[in-house]
Amino acid sequence: MHDNEKNAFSSWQMNCPVSIPTNADCVTLAHGEGGRLSRKLIQERIVQTLKNETLLALNDAAQLPQVNGPLALTTDSFVVSPLFFPGGDIGSLAVYGTVNDLAVSGARPLWLTLSLIMEEGLPLVILDRVLESIAEAARQTGVQIVAGDTKVVPRGAADGLFINTAGVGELIAPIPPGAPALQEGDELIVSGSIGRHGIAILAVREELGLEPLPSSDCGSLLRPVEILREGIGNQIRCLRDATRGGVAAVLHEWAEASEMTLSIDERSLPVSPDVRGISELLGLDPLHIANEGTMVIAVKLGAGAEAVSLLQSLPESADARVIGVVKPRGIAAVTIRRTLGAEQPLDDPLGSPLPRIC
Amino acid sequence: MHDNEKNAFSSWQMNCPVSIPTNADCVTLAHGEGGRLSRKLIQERIVQTLKNETLLALNDAAQLPQVNGPLALTTDSFVVSPLFFPGGDIGSLAVYGTVNDLAVSGARPLWLTLSLIMEEGLPLVILDRVLESIAEAARQTGVQIVAGDTKVVPRGAADGLFINTAGVGELIAPIPPGAPALQEGDELIVSGSIGRHGIAILAVREELGLEPLPSSDCGSLLRPVEILREGIGNQIRCLRDATRGGVAAVLHEWAEASEMTLSIDERSLPVSPDVRGISELLGLDPLHIANEGTMVIAVKLGAGAEAVSLLQSLPESADARVIGVVKPRGIAAVTIRRTLGAEQPLDDPLGSPLPRIC
């Protein structure tokens, strides 16, 4: 074994739930080139693990039944580093991320595509573990992975494994009208405690040595969206999962789209003790840190309490809170009343201090 | 400017149709992190270039009208190196590749998603040029790009730019039954001269110094598929674009699915002089080299001549030929009668000598 292979293995071992033997079989360039090895990889590993009849047909495109309604279509690529983190991995993230994008858009997720870009030398046990996570997340959310692609790039041309998922869903009435419909008095809600995904990634990557490690909120928003639709469907203005840029990015996008001021109260923000502690240590604001199973919701005036009560009946949204209100546009697009002190503008950063969190 | 930036620019300049100023603005990590710079990149460059109303809404998922029939869904990631080559670039390839997968599956392409994984330091002029190619290929094939995603990874964690497209189409009767339906006597056709894409990439990448450079067949198969459907729709057994692994990989997949022997004649293969010359020089077989706008077609006994005549009426398939026939399974899955000598098995290689051709 070459030294650089040893290094590569040790970096992939980070937080990986399976141990990688020193003589592990690895992805080779030939696995990506359309010949026998490509077909073997696809048939024996990918289709075996994700098995469903559509994928088994191995056509250029999946043939799917008619959908009796309007469609939703979305895509996301995942480049998270490391590949495994407390609460999830790049595989579960790739399924939940796309399922959540469909769910918050008012759609029932139906089918996913899965495209893998692998670096030459990726241990196959890691690929297998990620595929099992994908299969489990697909089962849990009731979506089928019906089409796929695999590419292999030479060592050094990518970092381990990148995943793209695209998703098709069926839009279900009532479809939330979206941020341009926001009006004065609308209530702003988060579905759970914030900043957990970004902090979980940061804690693993920076080897902060915390015990226990903070865990990501990586998970499905299907049930929280469904309980809101059933309970107060006509009261919902908009929903958005608060991924990159965190809750603050969602609020700023909504403020821009509606030309209103979104005003939140720091004291009402659900923040877990570990997220709060690490954020303070590193000078980060949980409002700017990514979530992967937590959404922001805007509902009509008066519907906030019922929305929160519905959400709190589910374990994945037990920490839901009303965090603010929509006001006529003032001086700032988004304002926050800090625990100590007066209302002030909430920063809309150019970027974030956390690359590759999803 | 740092030395490594200079190096990065010179590698990206390879065959790039635009010149990159030494002080070019580049993609930064902040462009991928969901803050203001991300939104600016998406709104001012991506949405501006690809503009359509659905994308402009910038929702988590595109909302699309109902489709009155069964659907086709496909995905492909593109990691071609270099990004630009004679006859196309990673952008046009990403559109045509997915459009062609839908077309050969019997679907009319409707909507595409577009996901970009960019390396920190990618010059924005290159991104713009690729986006223009994407917009042009989408216009030319009548598809709309309705949803997207952008990720940025640190310098060295990817090589320039990777693109994923997923596509949704409407299946149109008659849908070709596929390779399991192949029967004795069925005729095998290629829609154009073979091996052009792989040879074009190889010639640029290896700086073979040829003049003129061989050009890729990168292009749309929509019209060739359409003319066959209209003319001999019920005579078609299966269609497949011969990408990675070339025509040989398609023949081997079909032989496996049908348990027949697919037998071709070397003398009938359309191969351009430059592809033939470079292949002989490098010891490659054009049958194993990738195409990006050329397909293999199987039609019922007796329909071959009409299929070829229809295809030859279009400039993009003017070199179509009947290349072989389906036989009961003999000793080999795929056989070839070489110009000199008897029928022999056609190799089914483990991989190919050409990584990152698409």
Side-chain angles (χ1 to χ4, degrees):
Chain A
M1 196 170 71
H2 299 115
D3 275 356
N4 59 353
E5 284 178 289
K6 209 179 282 172
N7 290 342
F9 275 28
S10 67
S11 78
W12 277 318
Q13 190 69 71
M14 179 183 280
N15 211 51
C16 177
V18 291
S19 78
I20 308 168
T22 51
N23 62 347
D25 287 331
C26 292
V27 170
T28 65
L29 287 175
H31 279 117
E33 282 154 31
R36 262 187 297 151
L37 263 184
S38 289
R39 297 204 295 277
K40 198 170 140 74
L41 178 83
I42 292 167
Q43 285 166 2
E44 293 181 9
R45 292 184 182 262
I46 301 177
V47 174
Q48 274 303 311
T49 309
L50 307 178
K51 52 178 161 260
N52 64 62
E53 284 174 21
T54 314
L55 199 58
L56 275 172
L58 286 176
N59 286 319
D60 265 354
Q63 298 190 355
L64 302 168
Q66 181 169 351
V67 177
N68 293 314
L71 297 175
L73 178 61
T74 189
T75 185
D76 246 321
S77 286
F78 297 86
V79 298
V80 64
S81 171
L83 297 175
F84 301 91
F85 48 84
D89 58 47
I90 191 171
S92 55
L93 191 61
V95 173
Y96 293 132
T98 291
V99 162
N100 289 348
D101 279 348
L102 291 171
V104 299
S105 302
R108 175 168 46 219
L110 297 172
W111 303 298
L112 257 52
T113 65
L114 173 71
S115 179
L116 308 172
I117 298 177
M118 298 179 284
E119 183 186 8
E120 177 190 19
L122 178 75
L124 287 169
V125 290
I126 289 194
L127 177 63
D128 288 341
R129 187 65 196 76
V130 170
L131 289 170
E132 284 161 21
S133 288
I134 290 170
E136 173 56 30
R139 247 192 314 274
Q140 200 238 314
T141 52
V143 295
Q144 274 199 311
I145 292 159
V146 294
D149 180 51
T150 58
K151 291 286 186 306
V152 180
V153 296
R155 224 178 270 272
D159 186 14
L161 174 63
F162 299 153
I163 296 182
N164 176 278
T165 49
V168 174
E170 179 186 359
L171 286 166
I172 299 174
I175 299 163
L182 287 174
Q183 290 183 20
E184 183 176 357
D186 286 349
E187 299 181 66
L188 301 166
I189 298 164
V190 293
S191 69
S193 76
I194 66 173
R196 283 180 292 155
H197 179 70
I199 291 295
I201 296 292
L202 195 68
V204 178
R205 193 156 65 197
E206 305 302 329
E207 302 183 68
L208 294 179
L210 302 165
E211 192 64 47
L213 281 167
S215 188
S216 169
D217 61 337
C218 178
S220 165
L221 286 167
L222 272 185
R223 298 199 312 166
V225 170
E226 187 57 26
I227 208 168
L228 289 177
R229 178 170 32 230
E230 284 176 2
I232 56 155
N234 287 310
Q235 311 288 310
I236 301 172
R237 300 279 193 207
C238 42
L239 307 161
R240 176 73 62 100
D241 53 335
T243 55
R244 280 179 292 178
V247 170
V250 175
L251 297 175
H252 276 284
E253 281 185 44
W254 286 3
E256 196 175 317
S258 64
E259 299 180 356
M260 304 293 280
T261 285
L262 276 53
S263 179
I264 63 170
D265 188 326
E266 187 173 34
R267 286 162 303 183
S268 59
L269 289 172
V271 184
S272 64
D274 52 357
V275 168
R276 187 180 300 283
I278 297 169
S279 299
E280 282 177 5
L281 193 70
L282 301 175
L284 302 170
D285 185 338
L287 282 166
H288 290 117
I289 299 175
N291 311 275
E292 287 293 344
T294 303
M295 62 181 161
V296 186
I297 307 131
V299 297
K300 292 183 193 169
L301 174 63
E306 190 177 353
V308 165
S309 155
L310 289 166
L311 289 168
Q312 288 181 343
S313 71
L314 296 171
E316 61 267 51
S317 49
D319 294 326
R321 298 281 185 286
V322 173
I323 62 164
V325 66
V326 177
K327 297 177 176 177
R329 175 58 70 98
I331 284 174
V334 181
T335 64
I336 181 166
R337 183 173 300 277
R338 295 284 178 191
T339 309
L340 303 171
E343 197 165 339
Q344 54 186 248
L346 177 66
D347 192 24
D348 182 17
L350 273 175
S352 99
L354 300 173
R356 298 187 66 189
I357 45 92
C358 63
Chain B
M1 197 169 68
H2 298 115
D3 274 357
N4 58 354
E5 284 180 289
K6 210 180 280 172
N7 290 342
F9 275 27
S10 68
S11 78
W12 278 318
Q13 190 69 70
M14 179 184 281
N15 211 50
C16 177
V18 291
S19 78
I20 307 169
T22 51
N23 63 345
D25 287 331
C26 293
V27 170
T28 64
L29 286 174
H31 280 117
E33 283 155 29
R36 260 187 298 150
L37 263 183
S38 290
R39 298 204 295 278
K40 196 170 141 77
L41 179 83
I42 293 167
Q43 285 167 2
E44 294 181 6
R45 292 183 184 263
I46 301 176
V47 175
Q48 274 302 310
T49 309
L50 307 177
K51 52 179 162 260
N52 64 61
E53 284 175 19
T54 315
L55 200 59
L56 273 172
L58 286 176
N59 286 320
D60 265 354
Q63 299 190 355
L64 302 168
Q66 180 169 355
V67 177
N68 293 313
L71 297 176
L73 178 60
T74 189
T75 185
D76 246 322
S77 286
F78 298 86
V79 298
V80 64
S81 171
L83 297 175
F84 300 92
F85 49 84
D89 59 46
I90 191 172
S92 56
L93 191 61
V95 173
Y96 293 133
T98 291
V99 162
N100 288 349
D101 279 348
L102 291 171
V104 299
S105 302
R108 174 167 47 218
L110 297 172
W111 303 297
L112 258 54
T113 65
L114 172 71
S115 179
L116 308 171
I117 298 177
M118 298 178 284
E119 183 187 8
E120 177 191 20
L122 178 75
L124 286 169
V125 289
I126 289 194
L127 177 63
D128 288 340
R129 187 64 195 79
V130 169
L131 289 170
E132 284 162 21
S133 288
I134 290 170
E136 175 55 31
R139 246 192 315 273
Q140 199 238 313
T141 53
V143 295
Q144 274 199 310
I145 292 159
V146 295
D149 180 51
T150 57
K151 291 287 188 304
V152 180
V153 297
R155 224 177 271 271
D159 186 14
L161 175 63
F162 299 153
I163 296 182
N164 176 279
T165 48
V168 174
E170 179 186 359
L171 287 166
I172 299 172
I175 299 163
L182 286 174
Q183 291 182 19
E184 183 177 356
D186 286 350
E187 299 182 65
L188 300 167
I189 297 163
V190 292
S191 70
S193 76
I194 66 173
R196 283 180 291 155
H197 179 70
I199 291 294
I201 296 292
L202 196 67
V204 178
R205 195 156 63 196
E206 306 302 329
E207 302 184 69
L208 294 179
L210 302 164
E211 190 65 48
L213 282 167
S215 187
S216 169
D217 61 337
C218 177
S220 165
L221 286 166
L222 272 185
R223 297 201 311 168
V225 170
E226 187 58 26
I227 208 168
L228 289 176
R229 174 165 41 225
E230 284 178 2
I232 56 154
N234 288 309
Q235 313 287 310
I236 301 172
R237 300 277 194 209
C238 41
L239 308 161
R240 176 74 62 100
D241 53 336
T243 55
R244 281 180 290 178
V247 169
V250 175
L251 297 175
H252 276 284
E253 281 184 46
W254 286 1
E256 195 175 319
S258 63
E259 298 178 358
M260 304 294 281
T261 285
L262 275 54
S263 177
I264 63 170
D265 188 325
E266 187 172 32
R267 286 162 303 184
S268 60
L269 289 173
V271 184
S272 64
D274 53 357
V275 168
R276 187 179 301 283
I278 296 169
S279 298
E280 283 176 4
L281 193 71
L282 300 175
L284 302 170
D285 185 338
L287 282 165
H288 290 116
I289 298 175
N291 311 275
E292 287 293 345
T294 304
M295 61 181 162
V296 187
I297 307 131
V299 297
K300 292 182 194 170
L301 173 63
E306 191 177 351
V308 165
S309 154
L310 289 167
L311 289 168
Q312 288 181 343
S313 72
L314 296 172
E316 60 267 50
S317 49
D319 294 326
R321 299 279 186 285
V322 173
I323 62 164
V325 67
V326 176
K327 298 178 176 176
R329 174 58 69 100
I331 285 176
V334 182
T335 65
I336 181 165
R337 182 172 300 279
R338 294 284 180 190
T339 309
L340 302 170
E343 197 165 337
Q344 53 186 250
L346 178 67
D347 191 24
D348 182 17
L350 272 174
S352 98
L354 300 173
R356 298 187 66 188
I357 46 91
C358 63

